[in-house]
Amino acid sequence: MNAPALAPWHLHKAAAAVRAGGIIACPTEAVWGISCDPLNQMACERLIALKRRDWRKGVIVVAARFEDLPSFVLRPDDIAMQRARASWPGPNTWVFPVSADAPQWITGAHPSLAVRITAHPLLRALCARCGPLVSTSANLSGRAPARTISEVRLQLGKQLDYIVPGALGGRSTPTRIRDVLSGEVLRA
């Protein structure tokens, strides 16, 4: 994936927006996504309301490294962990068990959390600067995910705190989601 370099001030503005509790849009592996700080309850609730998404679904959290994820994401046995690590960084999302103190505003009605260690250069750079981020498609629930910055602006633009310019990662479909404990595919 050879995305053009992002100007440092775009990263700075995006990171500042996230740290201030804002919601940003940025390109991901296949579609445009919207992101916020997963530990900021108000930002997450605002993101879910913005999308008109059912809170019970939970969200995906992306990071630059597994070690950057919050401590409530439980590390499975070595075999399961090797399965996930073999696919990362990359366009593979794994559902991990979480401890009882995991915030419901990101897990939804699940005792687990979907996690991806992204290979998308821009998203990795943002995670390296901000820490893990919520990453969900930039669209209103029930509509097709945005594939261009213009589509992001049309659906969500005025409600976002910053839109990070950049290129999608070249995938034609959103990432596959699998259960880390069983390897079962939850979304193809």
Side-chain angles (χ1 to χ4, degrees):
M1 192 176 325
N2 293 344
L6 183 67
W9 63 272
H10 282 298
L11 279 175
H12 174 75
K13 286 187 76 153
V18 168
R19 286 189 202 106
I23 299 172
I24 63 168
C26 60
T28 71
E29 290 85 352
V31 298
W32 276 78
I34 54 174
S35 297
C36 67
D37 178 351
L39 300 180
N40 183 321
Q41 182 176 358
M42 289 179 64
C44 290
E45 288 173 351
R46 183 175 153 226
L47 180 144
I48 289 164
L50 170 67
K51 276 186 63 82
R52 299 181 195 146
R53 180 183 175 95
D54 182 348
W55 72 270
R56 291 172 290 206
K57 290 183 176 183
V59 295
I60 295 173
V61 171
V62 296
R65 304 173 323 134
F66 183 81
E67 294 74 21
D68 296 337
L69 293 169
S71 60
F72 56 74
V73 175
L74 300 178
R75 183 185 172 99
D77 64 50
D78 288 343
I79 293 170
M81 197 65 213
Q82 287 172 356
R83 184 174 25 237
R85 284 198 186 269
S87 72
W88 285 338
N92 297 287
T93 300
W94 294 88
V95 175
F96 278 77
V98 292
S99 65
D101 61 339
Q104 203 172 37
W105 63 82
I106 59 173
T107 62
H110 307 283
S112 57
L113 181 65
V115 172
R116 181 169 70 253
I117 306 305
T118 184
H120 189 283
L122 188 152
L123 195 50
R124 268 181 89 75
L126 278 170
C127 289
R129 191 171 274 229
C130 301
L133 295 168
V134 166
S135 181
T136 185
S137 58
N139 61 294
L140 299 174
S141 289
R143 291 196 185 170
R147 293 202 180 261
T148 67
I149 199 168
S150 297
E151 291 174 12
V152 173
R153 286 186 178 119
L154 282 171
Q155 285 194 57
L156 307 170
K158 293 190 186 306
Q159 298 173 76
L160 298 170
D161 298 294
Y162 193 68
I163 299 176
V164 185
L168 295 177
R171 289 188 49 88
S172 60
T173 59
T175 62
R176 178 172 37 180
I177 300 176
R178 292 182 281 180
D179 182 283
V180 76
L181 299 178
S182 68
E184 174 188 359
V185 175
L186 305 175
R187 179 180 82 184

